[in-house]
Amino acid sequence: MLNKILETKKEEVAQLVLPPEESVHHVSFYNALKNKKREVALIAEVKKASPSKGIIKENFHPLMIAIEYESGGANAISVLTDQQYFLGSRDYIPLLKREISLPILRKDFIIDQLQIVESKRLGADAILLIAEALEPSKLAELYHYAAELGLDSLVEVHSPEALEGILNLFTPKIIGVNNRNLKTFEVDLKQTEIIAQMIPKDSLFVSESGIFTYDDIKRVRKAGADAVLVGESLMRAESPEQGIYQLFGVVK
């Protein structure tokens, strides 16, 4: 599936038309995660569907979801913009940017500098760079290019080997461990625990995928996570705001 998605991305990049450049107030994604309001910072994800789960939320209103995330105390918003496999849209970023003050992470399969320029123009404050989708040297190139444009990058790894390849070249400010294997879609929070010991002390550490309960939050926090990225459990909750309270064991 990952290879199939990357082939689609190459086709998309070849046909990419950049949106017009507009004045956008960018917010530091990194600082938002550093200033956590709970035991871990929360990146709450606006997500309609995924290849492994199909439709996650039928009644999908991205702006209303993001507004509830903000009122529920999220530190940042992750927005799926891949259309073909996740039923997302790049139009969600400017839509949300006009109405909420939280930083926005563009979650997509970034493989080219053009997509980074596009992300900046859409209003994203950060991008996702996936180690399993990029050679370490290419990832480093895209990371530094994003930084030049004023965007943070969440550098995502699934294996110790992937992280080692990156750390041989540079130290990312934000490192995410994806508990989901992108080749098999199996999810195991043990990935966070395994890779935790390799995370440089100066990097902000995010645990991604498979986090559904307060026990999961406590488990990844114990492993050393500074932040979590959560989508599905919040999307399936009675309301996104209520989902955040349940996730952190708060009764409202």
Side-chain angles (χ1 to χ4, degrees):
M1 178 54 75
L2 178 59
N3 291 336
K4 188 177 172 185
I5 291 171
L6 293 176
E7 285 305 313
T8 302
K9 287 297 144 187
K10 288 175 188 171
E11 292 168 14
E12 288 178 10
V13 169
Q15 299 168 33
L16 181 59
V17 177
L18 290 174
E21 195 160 4
E22 294 178 25
S23 178
V24 177
H25 174 64
H26 286 279
V27 186
S28 171
F29 180 72
Y30 177 81
N31 288 344
L33 299 188
K34 287 287 279 187
N35 300 327
K36 53 181 184 262
K37 304 163 190 176
R38 299 181 173 96
E39 53 260 65
V40 291
L42 173 64
I43 307 164
E45 190 152 88
V46 176
K47 179 180 189 176
K48 181 175 183 175
S50 76
S52 58
K53 298 290 177 76
I55 301 286
I56 294 168
K57 191 166 184 68
E58 288 280 359
N59 194 14
F60 184 74
H61 301 288
L63 180 56
M64 299 311 297
I65 292 165
I67 289 170
E68 285 207 39
Y69 281 161
E70 187 165 35
S71 63
N75 296 78
I77 306 288
S78 168
V79 179
L80 263 299
T81 59
D82 173 80
Q83 199 162 6
Q84 186 161 334
Y85 300 97
F86 290 85
L87 303 184
S89 170
R90 71 180 202 170
D91 296 336
Y92 295 159
I93 295 177
L95 175 71
L96 270 53
K97 193 71 182 173
R98 287 192 290 268
E99 302 294 335
I100 64 169
S101 60
L102 298 179
I104 294 175
L105 167 73
R106 181 188 186 181
K107 200 172 184 204
D108 208 318
F109 296 82
I110 304 288
I111 58 170
D112 192 277
Q113 289 188 0
L114 259 184
Q115 292 168 289
I116 300 177
V117 176
E118 178 192 36
S119 302
K120 173 83 182 274
R121 291 191 181 186
L122 289 170
D125 303 291
I127 58 167
L128 180 72
L129 294 174
I130 303 172
E132 270 67 26
L134 297 160
E135 290 294 327
S137 57
K138 182 65 176 179
L139 190 147
E141 173 208 308
L142 295 177
Y143 179 93
H144 293 303
Y145 184 71
E148 284 173 27
L149 295 187
L151 300 182
D152 285 322
S153 295
L154 170 57
V155 175
E156 176 185 294
V157 302
H158 176 71
S159 68
E161 296 76 21
L163 180 55
E164 190 176 2
I166 290 163
L167 295 179
N168 285 337
L169 297 177
F170 74 107
T171 302
K173 280 169 61 179
I174 312 168
I175 298 173
V177 173
N178 192 348
N179 299 305
R180 175 176 284 110
N181 184 320
L182 292 179
K183 295 190 172 73
T184 65
F185 288 118
E186 289 174 3
V187 180
D188 194 337
L189 293 184
K190 196 157 71 172
Q191 286 305 113
T192 287
E193 294 162 339
I194 290 168
I195 299 174
Q197 55 200 330
M198 294 177 63
I199 305 285
K201 65 177 183 354
D202 293 334
S203 297
L204 202 144
F205 174 19
V206 183
S207 182
E208 310 170 39
S209 301
I211 296 164
F212 288 90
T213 66
Y214 189 43
D215 282 341
D216 294 335
I217 293 281
K218 289 188 282 189
R219 180 176 172 184
V220 299
R221 178 70 196 116
K222 186 179 178 185
D226 302 297
V228 291
L229 190 153
V230 183
E232 187 181 340
S233 70
L234 302 180
M235 289 287 90
R236 293 192 190 280
E238 190 177 323
S239 75
E241 186 175 2
Q242 196 59 40
I244 292 176
Y245 298 141
Q246 289 167 355
L247 185 65
F248 284 92
V250 177
V251 179
K252 285 246 179 184

